[in-house]
Amino acid sequence: MNDNLGRVAEQHHNLYKVLLEDGTLMESRVAGKFAYQRKKNTDYPVVGDYVRLNEKGIIEEVMERKSTLQRMEAGTTKKSQIIVSNLDYIFICMAVNQDFNLRRLERYLSMVYGTSITPIILLMKSDLAEDIDQYRSMVREEQSDLIVIPCSSVTGEGITEVQGWLQTGMTAAFIGSSGIGKSTIVNQLLGQEVLKTSRIREYDGKGRHTTTHRQLVRLGNGSYLIDTPGMRGLALDTSNVAEAFGDIEQLACECKYRNCSHTVEDGCAIRQALEKGTISAKRYRSYTKLKREEQHRSKERNKVYGGR
Ligand SMILES: Nc1nc2c(ncn2[C@@H]2O[C@H](COP(=O)(O)OP(=O)(O)OP(=O)(O)O)[C@@H](O)[C@H]2O)c(=O)[nH]1
Ligand SMILES: [Zn+2]
């Protein structure tokens, strides 16, 4: 990074913390011109952005983004919200116990579809599985070229392989349900740096000592890990929807046509279940609505971010 370049490490409303080359965190705001020029909300800085600062430490410019992870804003179908930017990898974490869920995996994969972000599947708590290859095959059946790494912080399996992906300048985020060992593995990757960089002690407005969780950290070798509240929320949205419609998604596998829209086709397993009353009309409507929104979203994404 140049002298006047930094990387957005935290965002709290319109207040940013920018990580500088020398490792210091600088509090910053965006230049007034962002407002004058009526920039779109997606033009404002997000965690992961490389930004150019002026001599007063104000963010003048957001450098072109290599990739973005987006979510639709609640209540709208068009406007999207960028959660983080410039990810190279996303570690999709699933534990090899009751957490393991292929429908949820599909959801996660659909988020990175059409971006340049490479998904890497971490089979967490691999020490708990008798036959880890069975899980690996199930994942590969979803998509045969996926990178799959069994990981355990108990046996240490997989840590070196994960580190292998974190080369200088690379940025990765972890996503997955709560309680499956993400923090444990991140702390192992951070090693001694955890106290220095991940959890920092600061004085809050009332002069109390508080411990805050940093959203972007740089490892010793110059790679970056991102863990924002936005990413955590995404994990929730994703698993809730998948779990809420898991039974219907399962039925969809039995439809006669692979690209069945579940509306007019012959041999649609979902419509048959609807007629039999196995699934309610209300849930069927919510499900098809969700599907349509999803298709619309991926079309929009391809339009805007085509070729990336
Ligand atoms: N068997 C086994 N247990 C593990 C492993 N890694 C973590 N755990 C345990 O799983 C629990 C949750 O671990 P965390 O690292 O806090 O999980 P997390 O995914 O970060 O959870 P959130 O912070 O809530 O998102 C702890 O009790 C850990 O001791 C592992 O590799 N194997
Ligand atoms: Zn169907």
Side-chain angles (χ1 to χ4, degrees), residues 14 36 78 123 130 146 151 153 181 250 298:
N14 53 5
Y36 309 145
K78 279 235 175 68
L123 297 174
E130 277 174 26
L146 284 174
C151 283
S153 38
Q250 202 75 52
S298 64

Side-chain angles (χ1 to χ4, degrees), residues 226-240:
I226 291 184
D227 177 15
T228 70
M231 300 260 340
R232 300 233 153 184
L234 204 59
L236 283 178
D237 297 349
T238 306
S239 55
N240 284 350

Side-chain angles (χ1 to χ4, degrees), residues 15-29:
L15 187 69
Y16 294 88
K17 287 191 185 168
V18 178
L19 180 67
L20 304 179
E21 176 64 44
D22 65 5
T24 54
L25 261 196
M26 186 158 77
E27 288 201 353
S28 183
R29 291 174 185 276

Side-chain angles (χ1 to χ4, degrees), residues 280-292:
S280 74
K282 186 161 171 266
R283 290 192 72 232
Y284 169 75
R285 274 198 303 274
S286 319
Y287 174 76
T288 47
K289 180 163 172 278
L290 182 92
K291 277 286 170 193
R292 276 198 308 274

